[in-house]
Amino acid sequence: MDASTSAAVFKWAFDELAAGFASVFEAMAAVRPAVSWTALPNAPAIESEDSMCWTQQLGPLPGAVFAAVTQAGAAEAGQHVMLAAGIEDCTPEELRSTWVEALGQVFAVLGRGISARLGAEIAPKGGKLTTEIPTAGKWAALTVVLGSSPLVIHVALPEELLESLAVVPKANAATQSAGEASSSVPATMESARGAADDSRTFDLLLEVELPVSVSFGHAQVPLKDVLKLTSGSIVELSRAIVEPVDIVVNNCVIARGEVVVVEGNFGVRIQHVVSRHERLRTLK
């Protein structure tokens, strides 16, 4: 891969990441932050003990993306999201989990962008916390302005991943070239084209299957009582019979409703679709 191609792919990837952070925090914290990035000549000094370091594979693509933020930065970002949901008292673990949730959504946005670029379905997989900091790859510092103090995320993209992104199918390359040639069109046309691109990207998700379950309630039972359970035992749940049940998609409550019977099968009639703030409260 020549230098000009490498620079173009590098810029595209970090522009996608910056857009991902902006859109995800806009959705989760109700305010669109200003996001910028700066290329780094070398790997920065990162203290793994004081940082949350994450590695993320992107489907079948080689290598893994690395992202690091300080523990304090992750907690502050999580606090912004939870406050937007009306939740003030959070444990450090809850704030870290919120940051990980946001980071996962950012990589999902990047995966959709790569899918559109390569014309193949690319989805994040195998993400995990790590203490190993890469010394190779291309580095950049992304700055997300959420509050009074900016959040700095150091991100490394492996060379082999960038090389994969450089191999763009001819049809997609022609589309990108046309887009670059029309960079001077009016803003209204740019907005319309962006909406169309978003629609095509969203279409990639329409066939994704998610687990849907219905929660009738829960109970906390001492282990000694669990061991006594036999056929015919009754476990009392926390929900009254007149209360609506929860409809859960991918471990998140999205709606509530009443149980009905449809042609001999149980079903749920949706009575209330929960708000974004309520969904954040129910994340497990």
Side-chain angles (χ1 to χ4, degrees):
M1 184 169 56
D2 59 59
S4 60
T5 301
S6 176
V9 173
F10 180 82
K11 180 180 184 304
W12 178 88
F14 278 99
D15 282 346
E16 288 288 310
L17 277 169
F21 275 105
S23 62
V24 166
F25 277 103
E26 181 180 25
M28 297 183 74
V31 176
R32 188 175 183 86
V35 184
S36 59
W37 63 271
T38 303
L40 302 176
N42 301 298
I46 298 174
E47 296 292 338
S48 59
E49 296 82 3
D50 188 44
S51 301
M52 286 191 68
C53 302
W54 187 265
T55 58
Q56 181 68 62
Q57 290 180 302
L58 296 171
L61 298 182
V65 183
F66 174 87
V69 66
T70 63
Q71 296 278 2
E76 184 176 351
Q79 189 71 56
H80 273 280
V81 173
M82 301 306 278
L83 286 175
I87 304 172
E88 297 183 1
D89 297 326
C90 301
T91 66
E93 182 58 36
E94 288 174 331
L95 296 179
R96 287 193 293 268
S97 296
T98 303
W99 165 252
V100 169
E101 169 68 19
L103 196 58
Q105 293 192 31
V106 170
F107 283 123
V109 172
L110 178 61
R112 294 196 293 270
I114 295 175
S115 296
R117 178 183 178 89
L118 301 182
E121 186 175 347
I122 303 296
K125 68 174 186 178
K128 61 181 181 180
L129 289 169
T130 182
T131 57
E132 298 180 5
I133 301 172
T135 56
K138 298 290 187 179
W139 286 83
L142 288 104
T143 302
V144 181
V145 182
L146 286 169
S148 57
S149 57
L151 175 68
V152 178
I153 307 115
H154 290 109
V155 180
L157 298 178
E159 295 280 1
E160 58 268 31
L161 176 60
L162 292 172
E163 290 176 0
S164 297
L165 298 181
V167 183
V168 181
K170 292 183 178 179
N172 288 11
T175 302
Q176 290 179 14
S177 297
E180 293 171 359
S182 60
S183 59
S184 60
V185 298
T188 53
M189 294 180 65
E190 285 287 353
S191 299
R193 186 175 65 191
D197 289 342
D198 288 343
S199 178
R200 288 194 297 271
T201 300
F202 184 74
D203 286 345
L204 296 170
L205 301 177
L206 296 182
E207 299 301 322
V208 175
E209 295 185 359
L210 295 174
V212 179
S213 59
V214 175
S215 172
F216 285 81
H218 63 273
Q220 289 185 332
V221 182
L223 179 59
K224 63 179 181 179
D225 292 337
V226 172
L227 296 175
K228 296 176 183 178
L229 293 177
T230 60
S231 178
S233 298
I234 295 176
V235 177
E236 184 178 353
L237 302 180
S238 59
R239 195 184 305 269
I241 191 170
V242 296
E243 292 183 84
V245 296
D246 292 336
I247 301 170
V248 183
V249 175
N250 203 27
N251 295 326
C252 179
V253 177
I254 65 162
R256 295 185 174 89
E258 63 176 348
V259 178
V260 297
V261 176
V262 182
E263 297 181 355
N265 296 320
F266 281 117
V268 179
R269 179 183 290 115
I270 294 177
Q271 297 175 318
H272 169 64
V273 177
V274 304
S275 67
R276 175 174 59 84
H277 291 175
E278 289 178 287
R279 289 198 299 272
L280 285 173
R281 287 177 179 271
T282 62
L283 282 174
K284 297 179 180 180

